[in-house]
Amino acid sequence: MEAKGISQAVIGRLPRYFRYLGELKDEGVERISSQELSELMKVTASQIRQDFNNFGGFGQQGYGYNVEFLYKEIGKILGLDKTHQLIIIGAGNLGQALGNYMNFERRGFLLKGIFDKNPALYGKKVREIEVQPMEVVEEFVRENEVDIAVLTIPKTSAVEVAEVLVANGIKAIWNFAHVDLNVPEGIQVENVHLSDSLMKLSYNLERYSTAQAEKE
Ligand code: NAI
């Protein structure tokens, strides 16, 4: 199952398939046709088949896909069959909220440490993990084979902090700071802007309201 040359749009849809299939699996559903999955997920069956064909089609035979198999295969493509060691930089509102969210662990993302530069936060527990000073983060990353860093610090320091983390072995950054990071090739960065999603909502709200007004 090679994911080489597959568009980011397809990759971007895989987590949603994975989520739905996980729910079906938990409900004890063994097989599902692309048509049924299409109705459930409100995407066309041909989109589903096209997406899955990028990975060899996942062996749909007779009546539909084997849910457990498909769930596992998509999980493998997403790298969820392995565990990842993760740290959070910035133990403010967002850092603590993410740290407290247990569901990432279910997917194999293990929170190993949380760091901040504010002494008032040192020792504060986020679940069972104490906030540590930034002075120890480099050694921590090296010794604990941390592969992912979550950046929930202001944009003013994010670029510099990312450089230090990468120099010590961080391979991927989940970046919530509103700034583009300057990382070497091969380091994976996923920028998250919750406001983008809110603006999309605003656009749809606006479009719907306009359409309604035109009808009247
Ligand atoms: P906050 O002020 O509650 O927390 C920020 C924490 O980062 C503080 O505890 C501070 O001491 C620490 N910090 C600052 N510089 C640091 C450094 N160089 N090293 C280590 N720790 C450092 O802010 P909040 O609400 O948690 O937001 C954090 C950042 O995330 C903000 O810059 C905000 O703009 C951004 N944000 C991004 C969102 C997104 O969707 N991308 C959503 C919400 C916030």
Side-chain angles (χ1 to χ4, degrees), residues 89-95 115-118 121 134 151-155 157 161 175-178 192-195:
I89 310 291
N93 293 311
L94 188 57
F115 300 85
D116 203 286
K117 69 167 193 185
N118 178 0
L121 292 169
M134 283 303 280
L151 287 193
T152 48
I153 52 177
K155 63 178 177 184
S157 50
V161 168
N175 178 32
F176 286 82
H178 296 296
V192 184
H193 300 290
L194 296 180
S195 50

Side-chain angles (χ1 to χ4, degrees), residues 16-214:
R16 187 157 180 263
Y17 289 123
F18 185 75
R19 203 154 31 82
Y20 272 84
L21 288 160
E23 281 167 18
L24 289 166
K25 188 173 76 73
D26 291 347
E27 285 161 19
V29 178
E30 285 175 13
R31 298 195 78 82
I32 190 156
S33 67
S34 46
Q35 192 54 46
E36 285 167 323
L37 196 55
S38 140
E39 279 158 26
L40 192 67
M41 295 184 61
K42 302 197 170 32
V43 288
T44 64
S46 87
Q47 164 99 81
I48 293 176
R49 283 192 297 269
Q50 266 177 38
D51 283 348
F52 291 179
N53 279 340
N54 284 295
F55 307 97
F58 298 120
Q60 187 186 25
Q61 283 164 357
Y63 174 69
Y65 301 98
N66 178 314
V67 170
E68 172 119 37
F69 175 77
L70 194 51
Y71 175 77
K72 271 207 189 128
E73 290 302 310
I74 294 179
K76 270 195 234 163
I77 293 167
L78 291 170
L80 302 175
D81 53 334
K82 304 180 196 87
T83 55
H84 298 281
Q85 321 264 34
L86 181 146
I87 55 169
I88 294 176
I89 310 291
N93 293 311
L94 188 57
Q96 288 190 36
L98 291 171
N100 277 313
Y101 183 58
M102 292 287 289
N103 247 11
F104 298 136
E105 310 251 312
R106 258 188 64 209
R107 300 275 183 248
F109 298 98
L110 309 179
L111 179 60
K112 290 292 168 182
I114 175 156
F115 300 85
D116 203 286
K117 69 167 193 185
N118 178 0
L121 292 169
Y122 301 166
K124 182 183 164 65
K125 280 191 175 169
V126 178
R127 276 195 276 134
E128 286 312 300
I129 298 169
E130 286 189 3
V131 176
Q132 298 184 66
M134 283 303 280
E135 284 73 24
V136 299
V137 76
E138 296 181 44
E139 194 184 347
F140 188 94
V141 167
R142 287 197 303 269
E143 288 185 355
N144 292 279
E145 296 184 0
V146 181
D147 42 9
I148 302 179
V150 184
L151 287 193
T152 48
I153 52 177
K155 63 178 177 184
T156 42
S157 50
V159 173
E160 188 189 323
V161 168
E163 276 170 14
V164 170
L165 295 171
V166 168
N168 284 281
I170 287 289
K171 307 262 183 323
I173 298 176
W174 201 23
N175 178 32
F176 286 82
H178 296 296
V179 63
D180 290 330
L181 303 175
N182 180 22
V183 294
E185 210 186 309
I187 303 298
Q188 309 304 321
V189 177
E190 182 66 27
N191 296 310
V192 184
H193 300 290
L194 296 180
S195 50
D196 288 3
S197 172
L198 198 54
M199 285 187 256
K200 209 168 125 200
L201 181 67
S202 158
Y203 169 80
N204 287 328
L205 179 66
E206 194 58 31
R207 202 177 51 168
Y208 183 77
S209 308
T210 312
Q212 289 299 102
E214 277 166 9

